[in-house]
Amino acid sequence: MTLLPVIASPLVLAYMWAPRSSGRSQASYAWTEKVHLQRGKPFVQWSAAYQQHQDSVAARASPTREDVGRLVIDPLFRVTPKAAQKGEEALLQILILGEANICRSPVAEALLRQELSNRGIADVVGCASKSVQDFTVGEGVPESVRQACRDAELPEVPSDHAARMWRPEWDVCDFDLIVAVDRYVAADAMKEVSVWDTIQKEVEYCAKIRGLYEFGRSGKEIQDPLYGNVGGEEELASIRSSFVDLQDAIRGLAEALASAVQEARAQADPVGKEALQAAVGEMLTSMGAFDWDAPPMLRKRQRPTGLGLSDGLLDISDIP
């Protein structure tokens, strides 16, 4: 009987110190090995190391406020759009919207930068490009697009370009003019922004959105050459054709912006941001209402005309 404790003690110690993976986490397994290697250290040092280990495990198990924040969906402030806090930049900002920001819109941005520089207003007017869809966010420009730019001797899109999606709640304030490459992109943008104009009667964010094709001489929309992903020479020919219309529209836009800047400078020199915004506003007003594919619920209701008694309805327009 006296031999039992002597025999049992090594078994108990072996059980306590042996690393076991079943039923334990990887951290616990690593801790067992760590303690096993520290068997020659005093118990006080073991306790300090164990406490440090427990603290690190607790830190990983308890999410911080930042960890929780990353799991929360970013809210969309439809009622109160806000302007971002930015540093020094061009007084007037133009945003070019495409569907994916990997073909038409980045090439349009490069073209517009060149046209603004040629007209000597690049220090006053800046531009950027974004997408209305998120399925290509982070992607670069396809090689076929770059090849078409080289063939047409167009300015090259920067090699580090990465598609990014627009944030309507910010961009409607940060940009003074937003142009869409086609009707579908324009409709996607207007559906986001028109909600604010419906709720807030004192603002007109929709007035900032126009079609890029409106500035071209032909008025043709810039078709998406990558639609269908046909590839090969057929796709390359489609890209070249779209870029012809794109160049025409960008030249028209640059001319309109140059005229607006000239008008603003005639009023004050050096020109201010408010004068530039007013000049662009007058330019857009002169273009008339933007004809976009609005859903029925967002279309402005008009009073029916030509209704008489013969229609079965009472026309009270002439009643004193």
Side-chain angles (χ1 to χ4, degrees), residues 13-316:
L13 290 175
Y15 176 80
M16 292 176 60
W17 294 116
R20 303 185 300 279
S21 59
S22 59
R24 292 192 178 191
S25 65
Q26 188 66 27
S28 180
Y29 180 82
W31 163 247
T32 306
E33 287 186 331
K34 182 178 179 181
V35 173
H36 185 70
L37 295 175
Q38 293 179 341
R39 292 180 68 178
K41 293 185 178 182
F43 177 75
V44 176
Q45 293 185 0
W46 289 357
S47 301
Y50 180 74
Q51 184 61 45
Q52 184 179 1
H53 164 73
Q54 291 292 91
D55 292 343
S56 64
V57 172
R60 290 193 297 270
S62 303
T64 63
R65 187 182 299 271
E66 294 180 358
D67 294 330
V68 175
R70 284 194 292 268
L71 297 177
V72 178
I73 299 175
D74 291 335
L76 177 63
F77 298 99
R78 289 188 177 275
V79 179
T80 57
K82 296 183 178 181
Q85 298 296 325
K86 296 184 177 181
E88 295 183 1
E89 57 184 10
L91 297 177
L92 203 63
Q93 290 295 324
I94 314 300
L95 177 61
I96 304 172
L97 284 180
E99 184 179 21
N101 195 219
I102 60 172
C103 181
R104 294 170 293 175
S105 55
V107 174
E109 178 187 353
L111 278 169
L112 183 57
R113 290 184 184 279
Q114 184 183 68
E115 292 290 337
L116 295 175
S117 179
N118 292 341
R119 287 169 171 77
I121 57 174
D123 59 330
V124 180
V125 184
C127 64
S129 64
K130 296 183 181 182
S131 69
V132 294
Q133 302 294 338
D134 62 355
F135 46 79
T136 58
V137 169
E139 295 185 14
V141 175
E143 180 56 32
S144 58
V145 175
R146 295 189 179 278
Q147 182 61 48
C149 288
R150 290 191 291 267
D151 294 343
E153 298 182 349
L154 301 180
E156 186 121 3
V157 178
S159 58
D160 60 348
H161 172 81
R164 54 178 181 160
M165 188 174 177
W166 83 313
R167 299 190 303 168
E169 69 273 20
W170 295 96
D171 292 339
V172 291
C173 293
D174 294 338
F175 292 91
D176 303 290
L177 174 60
I178 301 173
V179 290
V181 294
D182 61 32
R183 282 181 169 273
Y184 301 105
V185 175
D188 286 338
M190 290 289 282
K191 287 173 186 175
E192 291 285 346
V193 179
S194 59
V195 177
W196 294 318
D197 286 8
T198 303
I199 297 173
Q200 295 177 283
K201 302 299 183 181
E202 69 277 5
V203 296
E204 293 183 356
Y205 293 118
C206 287
K208 292 185 175 184
I209 301 178
R210 305 295 302 204
L212 177 59
Y213 46 88
E214 292 182 282
F215 295 91
R217 290 172 297 179
S218 65
K220 293 172 59 178
E221 297 181 46
I222 298 92
Q223 300 297 327
D224 185 358
L226 300 183
Y227 183 77
N229 298 320
V230 294
E233 287 298 325
E234 183 181 351
E235 182 176 276
L236 196 57
S238 180
I239 294 173
R240 294 192 187 105
S241 176
S242 291
F243 284 0
V244 172
D245 297 329
L246 188 62
Q247 284 181 278
D248 177 47
I250 288 296
R251 290 195 189 100
L253 174 60
E255 291 175 3
L257 292 173
S259 298
V261 172
Q262 184 178 4
E263 180 181 343
R265 282 176 173 168
Q267 299 178 4
D269 193 15
V271 65
K273 186 176 182 65
E274 292 184 0
L276 287 169
Q277 290 176 335
V280 171
E282 292 179 3
M283 175 190 74
L284 297 179
T285 301
S286 65
M287 294 173 64
F290 181 34
D291 182 19
W292 67 287
D293 299 331
M297 65 180 298
L298 293 178
R299 294 175 186 168
K300 292 184 178 180
R301 297 181 179 179
Q302 297 180 351
R303 184 180 182 277
T305 58
L307 295 180
L309 295 177
S310 60
D311 299 304
L313 298 175
L314 178 62
D315 185 1
I316 61 172

